[in-house]
Amino acid sequence: MRFWVGAYASDAGSAEGIGILQAGEADAQSAGGPLGMVGTAVAAPGSPSWIAAHPTHDLLYASLESDGTVQAYRRTSETRLAAVGAPVDAGAAVCHVAVSPDASFLIASCWGDGRIVRIDLDAAGRPSRPQIAAEAVDPYGSSTEGPTLSTGARVSGAVVPDLAAAARAVREAVGEEFSHLVPGYDDVPETDAESEEALAGDRVSRAHQATFLPGGLIATTDMGLDLVRFWRSGARGLRLVQEVVLPKGSGPRHGLWHPSGFFYVVTELSREVFVLGADREGRWSVVSGEPLLGSLETDTAAELSMGRDGTTLYAGVRGSDTVGVLSVRGGGEALQLLALAETGTHWPRHHVVVDDMLLVAGQLADEIVSLPLDARTGVPGRVRHRTPSPSPTRLLPRR
């Protein structure tokens, strides 16, 4: 089985562009075999940190994060992509693209300036005519006090433990025989564009993802202003229909539509998963939330994915490098944390479930790893396979 691999290029990482990962046999539907990088499908120095596929054509769309543009690519062979047309302007640090189910447009989300941009797609899938949606307004108003986590813990001005010093001290205390068991927090990056500025207390818009829901509804997350915004698309672009406010400083990052009709949102800064539901009139609200207990205050949550039968969710946590395993309860309105499992790689930026395997992109480890999922509990086991991969940020199964 093969995957497209989005990554940070030389301006922010070490990749050349969009890569190709092979897991096991190329024509197999399972990802349980050995991992290996086939090569670079196309050079993209602007950092294709997120990629999405056209639903019918052999096309990919990449958010070139460093360039602030969206570029279309056509598959020309089993191992090569070629750019289609010129890149389309989106906004600063465009970090996500999502293609509408009818392939008439795509949505680009920009972390740098908070823009949400609707980009038309013609019959051949070529993008054009970007339209910027209404900007977000801080629901908490202007404040100089800095954000507060939903748990009540202050972020701005808080005393953050020196994990590197603590890790070194514990290693010295336990001795050489057991020092390898102590997590390597001393190689956590000193700066991270997506967390440092948010933790600094700046209340600015940080659009991060768009999700297409049934009935033509579109949900977007704003990590900087703690908003989940709901839209409908029309001839004049996106029309805002509702906003749901999450706890101040929680930082909603990515959302996931569940077959039960609920929308799950993982928060980067407070490391929680919230359940949003709609009433009979179609008004959305927060139904419940589940913290990723065991994660550290300096951790940041990343991706949220669903197991193959829909009963289990997986939430990646960067820093302590774990993945939260959550059980879907009742009719989907509640979640229960089952475990916080080690990913076996550093800085799990993205992950994907393929049958009984969890594939994880370790961005700062420059590798991709696979972990088997327990058939009964869904909890990941130890790393089964790994392969070097430069600065991976997105794993997209190929059709």
Side-chain angles (χ1 to χ4, degrees):
M1 187 173 184
R2 287 185 171 179
F3 300 77
W4 302 112
V5 181
Y8 279 129
S10 57
D11 52 0
S14 54
E16 295 179 359
I18 299 174
I20 301 175
L21 169 73
Q22 182 162 315
E25 298 298 326
D27 56 353
Q29 295 302 309
S30 171
L35 304 177
M37 291 298 291
V38 176
T40 300
V42 64
S47 286
S49 61
W50 191 270
I51 47 179
H54 190 285
T56 55
H57 297 327
D58 238 350
L59 291 172
L60 287 184
Y61 302 95
S63 60
L64 300 183
E65 187 167 334
S66 299
D67 291 351
T69 61
V70 173
Q71 176 68 61
Y73 296 95
R74 185 178 304 281
R75 181 172 167 180
T76 58
S77 72
E78 279 299 307
T79 59
R80 297 296 299 171
L81 296 168
V84 177
V88 177
D89 288 335
V94 54
C95 60
H96 189 272
V97 287
V99 183
S100 66
D102 66 358
S104 63
F105 65 96
L106 62 79
I107 302 294
S109 301
C110 303
W111 186 87
D113 54 19
R115 284 184 178 181
I116 297 169
V117 186
R118 183 192 189 277
I119 300 175
D120 285 348
L121 299 177
D122 66 16
R126 292 172 299 210
S128 66
R129 212 168 69 90
Q131 297 173 286
I132 302 171
E135 66 180 32
V137 177
D138 191 351
Y140 291 99
S142 60
S143 172
T144 59
E145 296 182 356
T148 302
L149 294 180
S150 60
T151 57
R154 285 295 305 276
V155 175
S156 180
V159 177
V160 178
D162 186 345
L163 295 179
R168 289 191 294 270
V170 172
R171 288 195 196 101
E172 292 176 1
V174 300
E176 184 177 349
E177 182 179 0
F178 299 104
S179 62
H180 67 285
L181 299 176
V182 181
Y185 296 125
D186 44 348
D187 60 355
V188 172
E190 294 183 2
T191 60
D192 179 76
E194 291 191 358
S195 57
E196 181 181 351
E197 292 184 32
L199 290 172
D202 295 332
R203 296 290 295 176
V204 294
S205 179
R206 303 289 192 195
H208 216 291
Q209 188 211 38
T211 305
F212 288 92
L213 309 184
L217 201 61
I218 303 162
T220 63
T221 54
D222 193 306
M223 198 195 85
L225 299 183
D226 306 310
L227 288 170
V228 178
R229 310 173 79 194
F230 294 91
W231 311 79
R232 292 196 179 276
S233 180
R236 297 184 179 181
L238 296 179
R239 176 176 60 88
L240 184 65
V241 295
Q242 191 194 346
E243 294 181 337
V244 173
V245 181
L246 294 192
K248 190 176 183 181
S250 57
R253 178 182 172 94
H254 279 195
L256 176 68
W257 169 256
H258 191 264
S260 63
F262 291 95
F263 187 58
Y264 303 131
V265 179
V266 63
T267 55
E268 178 167 334
L269 303 181
S270 65
R271 303 168 310 283
E272 298 168 90
V273 181
F274 286 93
V275 180
L276 276 61
D279 60 20
R280 292 182 179 180
E281 286 70 42
R283 298 290 297 177
W284 289 80
S285 62
V286 176
V287 176
S288 65
E290 181 76 352
L292 298 173
L293 297 173
S295 58
L296 304 173
E297 287 297 318
T298 49
D299 285 347
T300 56
E303 185 57 272
L304 183 67
S305 68
M306 181 168 56
R308 60 181 177 180
D309 60 1
T311 62
T312 309
L313 304 183
Y314 298 90
V317 179
R318 300 167 296 183
S320 54
D321 300 336
T322 55
V323 59
V325 183
L326 302 104
S327 176
V328 178
R329 298 297 190 184
E333 73 280 0
L335 302 173
Q336 180 182 1
L337 182 67
L338 299 179
L340 200 63
E342 297 287 339
T343 61
T345 189
H346 187 32
W347 217 249
R349 173 66 175 262
H350 188 254
H351 62 266
V352 62
V353 177
V354 182
D355 292 328
D356 59 349
M357 299 297 296
L358 182 73
L359 271 63
V360 183
Q363 179 189 336
L364 299 184
D366 291 317
E367 67 176 0
I368 297 168
V369 302
S370 62
L371 300 89
L373 298 175
D374 184 272
R376 182 177 61 85
T377 65
V379 175
R382 294 182 179 272
V383 172
R384 176 172 291 177
H385 299 289
R386 66 176 76 235
T387 184
S389 180
S391 309
T393 58
R394 161 71 160 152
L395 303 174
L396 177 64
R398 285 191 2 179
R399 288 199 298 266

